Amino acid sequence: GTSACFEASGYEGELGAEYESHHLRATLKASGNHDESMTLTTRFSLKTSEDAGLPSGHLIITPSLTVKFSETRVVSYNLTECESHSDTIITWSLGESGSNLNSFTLKAYDDIVGAEIPTLQANLEAAQAELAAQQAESDPDSTLIEASLNKIAKVEEAIQGWQGIINYTDGILAQAEAGELRALTGLMPRELMDSAKNLDFSKADEASAELERYDAISFTGGGHAYEYSESSHTANTETTGKLMENSYDAGAMYEGKARIVAVGPWLMTGAGYERSASTADTTETGTEVESTRGFMLQDDDSGDKFVVKVSRDPNFNTFVFTTVAGRSKCPHEHNTYAREQPQITLLQQPTSDVFPSEAAVFKVLLVNAANEAAQYELYARDFEGADIHLNGATLMKAHFYEQMPAEGQYEEAVYVTRSANKYSFDFKLGFRSRCERELFLVTGSWPPSAFQSEELSLTANFLEACSLVDWAGDIQREQGFVINTNQKSGAMEVKVYNPEAPDRLWADNHRLEEIVLEYRRVGDISWRSAQLENGSYVDFASEESPYGYAKLNWHVASIPDGNYEIRAASHCTPAGLDPPENINQALSTVIVGVLDRVPPTLFDHTPETGLNT
């Protein structure tokens, strides 16, 4: 700052005259007398959404490090399965290439909890895995390890920082709800509080002081709005330059002590005289800050009501809101009565596995527990591979209940059928507010847990049909077989395949007992089980490859020649007294073949008459 020296000398007496001199000096350099000014104005505005229909969250402003990520695709090849796989990995670094930068970040509370921290935690796990792989190498690269350690430290610091912000916010909200924060008062215009009347319209003398202490606002929905704002202004100035001023005063003295003192460029006439002279060459700099903060309370839904207490953050002096009472819907607000209360209860479900061609039936009770009519919808989700119907209509689209009476209830039957090669289906059946789904759930503004809804986690189990089997190899191509003297051994190779592979291998069917080869002479009724050379029965079930094929050698040495029919048959654990087709067994097509291993022989020779031999 500038330091100036002020000197004064004076003389006092009862008679005569008095003289007083002042000198003010400044030691700063100046270039001459002139006037010049310049003003630079910068404005900042931060606000939450103006859309009164959207739920507002806490707005957090913080400096942060913005890191750029790159996406890398890694392609691998599985020689066993003869398939290629593509994986996408995210990489990032803390290098000095200028790709990362410092910035001010505006974040919503829900974004920090639902996206920022989980993303950082995933990055931390990836960085830790990267470090572990680097340290496990036979010749670790110290430079890479140091970079990974730096990344881990930065991510841990970021997680700790964001979590600290969340913890602070949660603590402030808890203090506000407990009434431990300084309340915001004076929530109505002064002239209204000063003119308060009693119920008989007489002047309420002491009302103004009482109303001044009120720290909550009660308002209803339907378009009404309450808006509050406050402003603060601060100014700082600094003058630099050269200032010279000389002044002296002279005046008549009277009995009793008196003096005439004057400073500045002006003259006074009268007894004695006064004179002043000054020169200045100065520069004045400074800043003025005007800050306005405020809020608006509004709800578009007629019938909603809120009582909101307003407090101040002890560190940032910002507003903290606590809803202490009211009634609301779409969405339902904390600490208010829910005007929509959908409930769903399971009344009945299948007690055993359902035949695959039939429907699994679930009966549910739907209830509107609120004290006013409301719009709801019954929906199903996460039911891939199944068809779900209500009253003949699919639940691919939710079923709408236009005006469900207050405290009303409906009983509904939901039918689940198979549409894919699966036999067990886990799915969600829920009952929710139609309004909330239209306004918020589709846009992803809030998580499903924040809505007025109830869900049932259900499972529809269907009885697995017996596994299918059909021919492969030479038998499939020729649609027949011949066993003759060219057959060197007493066995014939038989190949079959699983038509459901790879979706359902034979080993995946817990009901499957065996897959056998059966044969009979053409014209016979009964089938016989084919055997291997060791005397055991042919069973393809345990011989299946990952691609669904199996082969075994049918021992035919002891079977007489002739025309035969063969088939492959899968046998499963019996289910029910009269099950549908393919439940207990599945059969291949029937193939006809010949066993002819005895060569032709000459039984007789008779010369023809009239021929010479």
Side-chain angles (χ1 to χ4, degrees):
T2 301
S3 107
C5 180
F6 182 81
E7 298 179 352
S9 61
Y11 172 82
E12 297 182 8
E14 294 184 355
L15 296 173
E18 180 182 67
Y19 174 83
E20 186 171 344
S21 177
H22 305 273
H23 306 279
L24 178 64
R25 299 193 307 272
T27 59
L28 298 179
K29 182 178 181 181
S31 60
N33 295 328
H34 63 276
D35 292 327
E36 186 176 293
S37 66
M38 175 182 291
T39 302
L40 177 64
T41 302
T42 305
R43 297 183 183 276
F44 300 94
S45 178
L46 299 170
K47 60 184 178 180
T48 54
S49 172
E50 293 181 354
D51 191 340
L54 288 175
S56 239
H58 316 301
L59 179 62
I60 296 166
I61 306 166
T62 179
S64 66
L65 173 65
T66 302
V67 179
K68 291 186 178 181
F69 294 84
S70 61
E71 187 177 277
T72 304
R73 180 163 294 179
V74 179
V75 179
S76 58
Y77 193 78
N78 189 316
L79 295 176
T80 303
E81 299 179 2
C82 195
E83 292 181 351
S84 62
H85 301 275
S86 176
D87 297 313
T88 299
I89 62 173
I90 304 298
T91 59
W92 60 279
S93 68
L94 292 172
E96 299 178 357
S97 61
S99 61
N100 305 322
L101 53 93
N102 294 314
S103 64
F104 286 103
T105 299
L106 278 67
K107 287 283 187 181
Y109 178 96
D110 291 339
D111 186 43
I112 296 173
V113 174
E116 194 72 36
I117 293 178
T119 299
L120 288 169
Q121 290 172 336
N123 289 336
L124 177 60
E125 293 176 2
Q128 290 171 337
E130 182 182 31
L131 174 62
Q134 293 168 350
Q135 293 174 333
E137 293 180 358
S138 57
D139 185 17
D141 188 326
S142 59
T143 303
L144 294 177
I145 290 178
E146 183 179 357
S148 295
L149 289 172
N150 190 21
K151 288 168 64 174
I152 291 173
K154 283 293 184 183
V155 175
E156 289 177 336
E157 180 183 356
I159 294 174
Q160 183 179 4
W162 285 120
Q163 192 60 56
I165 291 173
I166 295 302
N167 294 342
Y168 175 81
T169 304
D170 292 342
I172 289 296
L173 295 175
Q175 292 179 52
E177 194 155 348
E180 299 172 357
L181 297 183
R182 180 167 61 93
L184 176 67
T185 57
L187 295 174
M188 282 294 165
R190 168 60 60 185
E191 57 269 24
L192 291 181
M193 292 188 288
D194 290 342
S195 60
K197 306 290 185 182
N198 293 317
L199 294 179
D200 60 0
F201 293 99
S202 61
K203 175 64 176 171
D205 296 329
E206 300 179 359
S208 179
E210 180 183 349
L211 295 174
E212 174 70 24
R213 294 191 295 270
Y214 284 14
D215 59 354
I217 297 293
S218 177
F219 65 99
T220 57
H224 307 299
Y226 171 86
E227 190 169 356
Y228 174 92
S229 65
E230 61 184 23
S231 299
S232 62
H233 180 271
T234 59
N236 297 303
T237 61
E238 181 180 352
T239 301
T240 61
K242 179 180 180 181
L243 175 62
M244 294 296 295
E245 182 170 339
N246 294 293
S247 65
Y248 57 90
D249 311 321
M253 292 296 298
Y254 301 93
E255 192 167 329
K257 294 183 179 180
R259 67 176 63 182
I260 300 173
V261 178
V263 176
W266 52 272
L267 293 173
M268 175 184 292
T269 61
Y273 64 92
E274 209 175 293
R275 181 181 176 186
S276 175
S278 65
T279 60
D281 185 357
T282 62
T283 301
E284 182 178 285
T285 61
T287 59
E288 290 188 35
V289 178
E290 185 171 351
S291 175
T292 300
R293 60 171 64 92
F295 59 87
M296 183 174 67
L297 301 177
Q298 181 179 7
D299 186 88
D300 288 338
D301 291 325
S302 178
D304 282 0
K305 181 178 180 180
F306 301 94
V307 180
V308 178
K309 185 176 180 180
V310 187
S311 308
R312 290 190 184 275
D313 185 289
N315 294 297
F316 302 104
N317 203 35
T318 50
F319 302 119
V320 181
F321 306 96
T322 307
T323 302
V324 296
R327 52 187 289 120
S328 63
K329 71 173 184 179
C330 197
H332 168 245
E333 301 281 354
H334 179 62
N335 281 345
T336 65
Y337 174 80
R339 297 174 59 199
E340 295 175 319
Q341 298 182 37
Q343 297 177 357
I344 182 171
T345 304
L346 180 64
L347 299 178
Q348 181 180 324
Q349 63 180 329
T351 57
S352 61
D353 293 350
V354 179
F355 286 139
S357 59
E358 298 179 2
V361 182
F362 297 83
K363 291 185 178 180
V364 294
L365 180 66
L366 308 178
V367 177
N368 174 20
N371 59 10
E372 60 179 275
Q375 296 182 336
Y376 298 111
E377 60 185 25
L378 179 68
Y379 66 93
R381 66 181 181 92
D382 302 340
F383 54 91
E384 182 180 358
D387 287 328
I388 302 181
H389 292 80
L390 173 70
N391 301 327
T394 178
L395 277 183
M396 289 286 290
K397 182 179 180 180
H399 182 75
F400 177 44
Y401 296 86
E402 186 170 358
Q403 280 295 341
M404 193 168 183
E407 300 178 352
Q409 60 184 39
Y410 300 139
E411 186 175 322
E412 301 283 17
V414 176
Y415 296 82
V416 181
T417 56
R418 299 169 58 247
S419 64
N421 193 24
K422 292 174 57 179
Y423 293 89
S424 182
F425 302 91
D426 297 323
F427 65 99
K428 301 288 193 303
L429 189 66
F431 195 44
R432 68 189 173 203
S433 160
R434 173 65 174 267
C435 177
E436 288 185 349
R437 194 273 301 171
E438 287 182 335
L439 290 184
F440 304 118
L441 191 59
V442 173
T443 62
S445 301
W446 280 11
S449 59
F451 292 91
Q452 291 301 105
S453 65
E454 281 193 356
E455 277 190 348
L456 299 174
S457 296
L458 303 174
T459 301
N461 289 316
F462 294 87
L463 189 67
E464 287 195 65
C466 210
S467 297
L468 301 180
V469 60
D470 213 336
W471 302 110
D474 293 339
I475 293 179
Q476 189 274 333
R477 286 191 297 271
E478 301 295 334
Q479 289 296 298
F481 65 93
V482 174
I483 302 176
N484 53 30
T485 54
N486 292 328
Q487 196 81 19
K488 301 301 182 181
S489 66
M492 183 184 79
E493 184 180 78
V494 179
K495 293 182 179 179
V496 296
Y497 86 101
N498 177 3
E500 298 173 290
D503 294 334
R504 186 175 73 143
L505 299 176
W506 292 331
D508 298 332
N509 190 343
H510 68 280
R511 294 187 58 237
L512 180 64
E513 294 183 343
E514 60 183 3
I515 297 180
V516 299
L517 177 66
E518 298 178 335
Y519 71 96
R520 67 183 180 185
R521 276 185 178 272
V522 173
D524 286 354
I525 297 177
S526 300
W527 292 88
R528 298 182 180 182
S529 295
Q531 294 179 320
L532 303 174
E533 187 176 3
N534 61 10
S536 61
Y537 292 112
V538 172
D539 185 359
F540 296 103
S542 60
E543 303 298 321
E544 185 182 22
S545 73
Y547 305 102
Y549 289 87
K551 64 180 180 179
L552 285 172
N553 291 322
W554 174 25
H555 185 65
V556 296
S558 59
I559 300 176
D561 285 355
N563 296 326
Y564 288 87
E565 295 175 325
I566 61 172
R567 71 182 184 185
S570 62
H571 297 154
C572 289
T573 304
L577 298 177
D578 188 18
E581 185 179 3
N582 288 343
I583 291 298
N584 288 343
Q585 73 170 6
L587 302 174
S588 71
T589 57
V590 175
I591 295 293
V592 178
V594 177
L595 268 68
D596 184 13
R597 292 154 299 179
V598 178
T601 58
L602 182 63
F603 291 97
D604 191 13
H605 175 72
T606 303
E608 186 175 347
T609 304
L611 294 177
N612 295 322
T613 58

Short mmCIF file of all heavy atoms in Angstrom, two decimals, residues 489-491 554-560 595 597:
data_model
loop_
_atom_site.label_atom_id
_atom_site.label_comp_id
_atom_site.label_asym_id
_atom_site.label_seq_id
_atom_site.Cartn_x
_atom_site.Cartn_y
_atom_site.Cartn_z
N SER A 489 -14.89 -106.46 -40.73
CA SER A 489 -15.11 -106.79 -39.32
C SER A 489 -16.58 -107.10 -39.10
O SER A 489 -17.41 -106.96 -39.99
CB SER A 489 -14.68 -105.62 -38.43
OG SER A 489 -15.54 -104.52 -38.65
N GLY A 490 -16.86 -107.50 -37.88
CA GLY A 490 -18.24 -107.82 -37.56
C GLY A 490 -18.98 -106.64 -36.99
O GLY A 490 -19.95 -106.83 -36.23
N ALA A 491 -18.58 -105.39 -37.31
CA ALA A 491 -19.23 -104.21 -36.76
C ALA A 491 -19.43 -103.18 -37.87
O ALA A 491 -18.70 -103.15 -38.86
CB ALA A 491 -18.40 -103.61 -35.63
N TRP A 554 -21.66 -100.61 -34.21
CA TRP A 554 -22.74 -101.58 -33.96
C TRP A 554 -22.22 -102.98 -34.29
O TRP A 554 -21.79 -103.26 -35.40
CB TRP A 554 -23.94 -101.21 -34.81
CG TRP A 554 -25.09 -102.19 -34.76
CD1 TRP A 554 -25.40 -103.06 -33.77
CD2 TRP A 554 -26.04 -102.40 -35.80
NE1 TRP A 554 -26.51 -103.79 -34.08
CE2 TRP A 554 -26.94 -103.40 -35.33
CE3 TRP A 554 -26.28 -101.84 -37.05
CZ2 TRP A 554 -28.03 -103.86 -36.09
CZ3 TRP A 554 -27.37 -102.29 -37.80
CH2 TRP A 554 -28.23 -103.28 -37.32
N HIS A 555 -22.25 -103.88 -33.29
CA HIS A 555 -21.77 -105.25 -33.47
C HIS A 555 -22.88 -106.08 -34.12
O HIS A 555 -23.94 -106.32 -33.54
CB HIS A 555 -21.39 -105.86 -32.12
CG HIS A 555 -20.78 -107.22 -32.24
ND1 HIS A 555 -19.56 -107.46 -32.87
CD2 HIS A 555 -21.21 -108.44 -31.80
CE1 HIS A 555 -19.27 -108.74 -32.81
NE2 HIS A 555 -20.27 -109.36 -32.17
N VAL A 556 -22.62 -106.52 -35.38
CA VAL A 556 -23.67 -107.22 -36.15
C VAL A 556 -23.26 -108.67 -36.46
O VAL A 556 -23.98 -109.37 -37.20
CB VAL A 556 -23.94 -106.48 -37.48
CG1 VAL A 556 -24.50 -105.09 -37.20
CG2 VAL A 556 -22.65 -106.39 -38.33
N ALA A 557 -22.17 -109.13 -35.91
CA ALA A 557 -21.67 -110.47 -36.28
C ALA A 557 -22.68 -111.57 -35.97
O ALA A 557 -22.80 -112.56 -36.71
CB ALA A 557 -20.34 -110.75 -35.55
N SER A 558 -23.43 -111.42 -34.89
CA SER A 558 -24.35 -112.47 -34.47
C SER A 558 -25.76 -112.27 -35.01
O SER A 558 -26.67 -113.04 -34.68
CB SER A 558 -24.40 -112.54 -32.95
OG SER A 558 -24.84 -111.28 -32.41
N ILE A 559 -25.96 -111.27 -35.84
CA ILE A 559 -27.31 -110.98 -36.36
C ILE A 559 -27.43 -111.64 -37.73
O ILE A 559 -26.58 -111.45 -38.62
CB ILE A 559 -27.53 -109.46 -36.48
CG1 ILE A 559 -27.39 -108.80 -35.10
CG2 ILE A 559 -28.90 -109.16 -37.08
CD1 ILE A 559 -27.50 -107.30 -35.14
N PRO A 560 -28.48 -112.43 -37.94
CA PRO A 560 -28.66 -113.11 -39.24
C PRO A 560 -28.84 -112.11 -40.38
O PRO A 560 -29.29 -110.98 -40.17
CB PRO A 560 -29.91 -113.96 -39.04
CG PRO A 560 -30.09 -114.06 -37.55
CD PRO A 560 -29.52 -112.80 -36.97
N LEU A 595 -28.51 -106.82 -44.47
CA LEU A 595 -27.37 -107.61 -44.00
C LEU A 595 -27.27 -108.81 -44.95
O LEU A 595 -28.17 -109.68 -44.99
CB LEU A 595 -27.58 -108.10 -42.57
CG LEU A 595 -27.03 -107.19 -41.45
CD1 LEU A 595 -27.84 -105.89 -41.41
CD2 LEU A 595 -27.08 -107.88 -40.11
N ARG A 597 -24.18 -111.20 -45.90
CA ARG A 597 -22.78 -111.56 -45.78
C ARG A 597 -22.47 -112.97 -46.29
O ARG A 597 -21.33 -113.41 -46.28
CB ARG A 597 -22.35 -111.46 -44.33
CG ARG A 597 -22.33 -110.04 -43.79
CD ARG A 597 -22.52 -109.99 -42.32
NE ARG A 597 -23.83 -110.56 -41.95
CZ ARG A 597 -24.27 -110.67 -40.71
NH1 ARG A 597 -23.49 -110.31 -39.69
NH2 ARG A 597 -25.46 -111.16 -40.47
#
